[in-house]
Amino acid sequence: MKQTLLLAFSLLLSSALFSQTRPKIGLALSGGGAKGLAHVGVLKAIDSAGLHIDYVTGTSMGSVVGSLYSIGYSADSIEKLARDIDWSILLSNQTTLRSLIMEEKDEYGKYTIELAWDKNGLRLPTGVLEGQELWIKLGELFSPAYNIQDFSKFPIPFLCIATDIATGEAVVLDSGSLVTAVRASMAIPTVFTAVEIDGRKLVDGGIVHNFPVRELTDLGADFIIGSSVSSGLLQSDEVTDVTSILMQVMFLADGLQHREEAANCNVYIEHPLKGYSAASFSSGNLIMNEGVITGRELYPFFKNLADSLDAIYGKPEPYRRLIGLNDSIYISEVVVHGLENSTLTFFQQMTGLFPGKAIAMSSLSERIRRVFGTRFYERIIYDIEPVSDGGARIVFNVIENPSTFVKLGIHYNTFSNIALIANLTSRNLLTLHSRSMLSLNISENFRAKAEYLQLLGKNHQWAQISRLQFERFEFTNFQDLNEEGLFRQNYLAGDLDLQYSSKRRFTIGAGLRAENFIYKPIIESQLDLKGHINQYSAPFYYRYHTLEAQTYPKNGVRLETELSYIFKQYPDIEYQNSGENITNLDSLGIAYNNFPRGYFSSEWYVPMQGKWNFQSLVQVGANFNYKQRWANDFNVGGLTRLYRNQIVFAGLPHGSLFTPSVAALQLGLRYSLLKTLHFTARANGLVHNFISRNENIQVQDFLSGYALTAGYTTALGPIELSGQYSDQTGKFSAYVNLGFAF
């Protein structure tokens, strides 16, 4: 390497001495998926040395890194961006929960299979990524260059390579929308959807031209630095099985071309990245670290080269940075293509984008996420086109989600047993901007929920929700935390709510609820309940949600508060003592009067150093002026939230304690050994029966417990194996949960 660098340095310097103009230096960055992040280390060395680059070309991931550098991002800022990005979201069809409106958060990502239902019946998923978050992120990063359609006018002239899927030809992209060009250059076939530009369907340029060196000569480069993370062909000792032989044959032409392109580089940099693949984005930081090491080795050469050229020609003009120049745009026109089941008015109101209005460029990504978060759209891409009045035309091309989806999932829980969860969701079925949903939990503990949601108001910040739900559970009857019997509870409720959400993180609402409880003893215990109760309630609620994922969130909070008033109770109930009816309810202190109640839950996640995460859960529930048992008690136990009035508590099984009031605090520490493997230790304590005290409860007022959980993320959802212990019972127990609860 040192001899090669010395020769390259000598040749450039000798030619420079006889030239009147400063030699033009070009930089070629190869494709290679995740391995392309190593290019950042070379850019850091170039920046540190003060070496002026005149042209940049790139393919696939090389086009991403190269385009950012060409419009004015420094190597350090590119490194920070790459380290901060959640690649698992960016390179998927998923989005974070934070992008969704409040009404969609609970349902998103819960199902293993989601099948679209269109006119021709069920449609299987293609497995190809639209990459919505990728489009949004590229639009955000490239927004400073929105008004430059000729890539040669960038601070550093740039071009990238894509492949015409129809002809197999390499296509040079050097003008138009930078977002679209880069997205086309990295559109790996069968992974990402193709990108259409000027009537041609384009995919990843790495298929036919992964290392764009000769284009630098065409641009006018006199000296070429090539950074490659994909050396092309395997060595003979690496071709050892059928798969490697097939890959060698498939990429034979590009491998031979790669050797030719490498030979045309004055400085050829081949990164030592054995053990990493194009899909190793989970190891992105390690790959960048390897690139930084390579860059440090090259730094003395880059520094000597820069100093020598500066001594001969003087320092070049600094790059014209586009970053920060276009902080806002004036919208002259908004065009939306692809609308069929939704309206332009709805789209504009959800984004807040209207002609004759100036907006901050930094807010555009969030505006797109806002409308995407309604889940009416499968993909939203846009171009910003400068117009003669100094403003901009924003042109959206959208693909709407199919109106109806059938969704399936599996859930198993130590308490509720195995269940098939089925969901039918249809949008705009009865009226525009509505969602109709039917969910079933098919198991021995059958559950069902039907819901109709209608977005209202000028900006659709209001929603009216009608809901009917049924659930049946069999609970162990505990006396003094000891198992004594078994009873079944059937619960039926109808809700009519009106709520307001100005942002995607909170909602506030009120409504009316009608409820019916049916109790039946299965195995008799000392105190049983038999019969039914009807009641009405008027709830007022506030919910706040900033978690980014359904499982193992890294940061954020989920908060729920509900204040309600229970009235018009109609009991037809029998209390039994060892199977004998208790006729005098006064002896139990029971009366069915109206009463207020409150519930509060706050779940926090805070990232810590390395792979550690701190979490806390606060739960408080209280019935005031309450003189009943069971129906409106708070139900303590279990590690997974499954049903109404449940207080999650590590150490106790579901239904271990029914109490009129409770305050619980749980603290946890999670260690993520791998991206998919997590270990969580939890400790909690609670006090109960302190408001509307029930003297018939024999359990002591303070309880404590602990749990250790190993969790693994799968296509079916998380698999969690837990061991738990309670100080008061002195018992260890196992707890298993698979998938997402109904």
Side-chain angles (χ1 to χ4, degrees), residues 261-330:
E261 297 287 35
N264 290 329
C265 294
N266 300 99
V267 175
Y268 175 64
I269 306 164
E270 187 171 319
H271 294 265
L273 295 172
K274 272 196 172 183
Y276 299 106
S277 72
S280 298
F281 284 97
S282 60
S283 301
N285 287 342
L286 296 177
I287 292 172
M288 276 186 281
N289 293 343
E290 292 289 342
V292 169
I293 292 171
T294 300
R296 286 173 182 161
E297 295 173 355
L298 292 163
Y299 171 78
F301 168 76
F302 291 149
K303 179 64 174 171
N304 288 336
L305 182 60
D307 290 346
S308 299
L309 291 175
D310 291 350
I312 298 172
Y313 299 102
K315 286 188 174 295
E317 290 291 323
Y319 297 123
R320 179 176 58 91
R321 301 285 183 184
L322 299 180
I323 312 305
L325 294 182
N326 298 309
D327 289 333
S328 65
I329 57 171
Y330 177 82

Side-chain angles (χ1 to χ4, degrees), residues 558-620:
R558 175 162 47 199
L559 183 150
E560 181 178 353
T561 300
E562 181 174 300
L563 302 174
S564 59
Y565 186 72
I566 310 297
F567 62 98
K568 286 193 175 182
Q569 291 186 293
Y570 301 99
D572 183 6
I573 207 82
E574 296 176 356
Y575 287 86
Q576 299 178 339
N577 187 350
S578 300
E580 297 294 329
N581 287 349
I582 301 174
T583 57
N584 182 13
L585 295 185
D586 291 339
S587 64
L588 298 176
I590 293 175
Y592 290 92
N593 55 302
N594 300 342
F595 64 93
R597 71 194 313 265
Y599 173 76
F600 171 83
S601 173
S602 177
E603 187 177 356
W604 290 81
Y605 294 86
V606 180
M608 301 174 67
Q609 187 173 8
K611 299 181 178 181
W612 293 93
N613 191 277
F614 173 78
Q615 59 192 59
S616 67
L617 174 63
V618 177
Q619 302 166 95
V620 179

Side-chain angles (χ1 to χ4, degrees), residues 14 79 138 146 188 190 251 417 474 506 676 688:
S14 59
E79 179 185 26
L138 291 178
Y146 84 89
I188 304 170
T190 74
F251 292 100
N417 293 324
E474 291 186 357
F506 88 91
T676 55
H688 75 100

Side-chain angles (χ1 to χ4, degrees), residues 346-635:
F346 175 78
F347 191 92
Q348 288 184 299
Q349 287 173 341
M350 293 303 297
T351 58
L353 298 175
F354 296 93
K357 180 179 178 180
I359 65 163
M361 288 292 292
S362 58
S363 73
L364 191 53
S365 294
E366 287 306 301
R367 292 170 183 268
I368 305 305
R369 289 189 179 97
R370 187 187 306 165
V371 67
F372 183 72
T374 64
R375 302 206 70 193
F376 279 87
Y377 305 97
E378 180 179 336
R379 188 181 75 181
I380 303 170
I381 61 176
Y382 66 93
D383 287 323
I384 306 176
E385 302 172 353
V387 295
S388 58
D389 65 0
R393 177 189 299 109
I394 304 182
V395 180
F396 290 95
N397 286 280
V398 307
I399 298 176
E400 294 178 322
N401 266 322
S403 59
T404 302
F405 274 91
V406 176
K407 308 174 188 180
L408 298 171
I410 293 177
H411 179 243
Y412 173 80
N413 186 276
T414 299
F415 171 74
S416 59
N417 293 324
I418 190 72
L420 172 67
I421 300 179
N423 174 279
L424 179 66
T425 298
S426 186
R427 300 179 192 277
N428 299 330
L429 178 64
L430 302 177
T431 57
L432 279 177
H433 315 139
S434 67
R435 184 193 70 186
S436 304
M437 186 172 68
L438 174 64
S439 300
L440 301 175
N441 184 94
I442 304 171
S443 72
E444 59 186 63
N445 290 302
F446 180 76
R447 306 174 74 186
K449 180 172 68 174
E451 182 179 278
Y452 180 78
L453 180 147
Q454 178 68 60
L455 297 176
L456 304 168
K458 180 179 178 181
N459 296 317
H460 304 285
Q461 295 173 337
W462 291 88
Q464 184 273 317
I465 303 175
S466 304
R467 184 185 302 109
L468 182 66
Q469 64 185 82
F470 171 82
E471 59 185 38
R472 181 181 65 208
F473 282 108
E474 291 186 357
F475 288 93
T476 299
N477 199 339
F478 287 84
Q479 295 294 332
D480 195 18
L481 302 182
N482 295 312
E483 297 182 18
E484 192 175 84
L486 186 69
F487 71 92
R488 177 182 298 132
Q489 174 185 283
N490 290 350
Y491 173 71
L492 178 65
D495 290 82
L496 184 62
D497 295 341
L498 181 66
Q499 66 183 37
Y500 174 80
S501 303
S502 66
K503 296 183 178 179
R504 286 164 292 136
R505 65 183 62 165
F506 88 91
T507 187
I508 187 169
L512 181 66
R513 180 180 301 148
E515 298 172 286
N516 171 264
F517 306 85
I518 300 177
Y519 296 93
K520 181 180 180 181
I522 298 175
I523 300 176
E524 290 183 356
S525 59
Q526 183 178 349
L527 183 63
D528 283 319
L529 190 65
K530 183 179 181 180
H532 70 268
I533 303 172
N534 296 328
Q535 68 180 33
Y536 294 90
S537 63
F540 171 82
Y541 56 86
Y542 173 81
R543 295 166 190 153
Y544 184 81
H545 193 309
T546 62
L547 303 183
E548 86 284 3
Q550 289 279 16
T551 55
Y552 309 115
K554 297 177 182 177
N555 57 73
V557 61
R558 175 162 47 199
L559 183 150
E560 181 178 353
T561 300
E562 181 174 300
L563 302 174
S564 59
Y565 186 72
I566 310 297
F567 62 98
K568 286 193 175 182
Q569 291 186 293
Y570 301 99
D572 183 6
I573 207 82
E574 296 176 356
Y575 287 86
Q576 299 178 339
N577 187 350
S578 300
E580 297 294 329
N581 287 349
I582 301 174
T583 57
N584 182 13
L585 295 185
D586 291 339
S587 64
L588 298 176
I590 293 175
Y592 290 92
N593 55 302
N594 300 342
F595 64 93
R597 71 194 313 265
Y599 173 76
F600 171 83
S601 173
S602 177
E603 187 177 356
W604 290 81
Y605 294 86
V606 180
M608 301 174 67
Q609 187 173 8
K611 299 181 178 181
W612 293 93
N613 191 277
F614 173 78
Q615 59 192 59
S616 67
L617 174 63
V618 177
Q619 302 166 95
V620 179
N623 294 314
F624 300 89
N625 192 29
Y626 175 71
K627 301 176 181 179
Q628 299 172 22
R629 290 294 304 272
W630 279 301
N632 292 292
D633 278 359
F634 295 95
N635 183 327

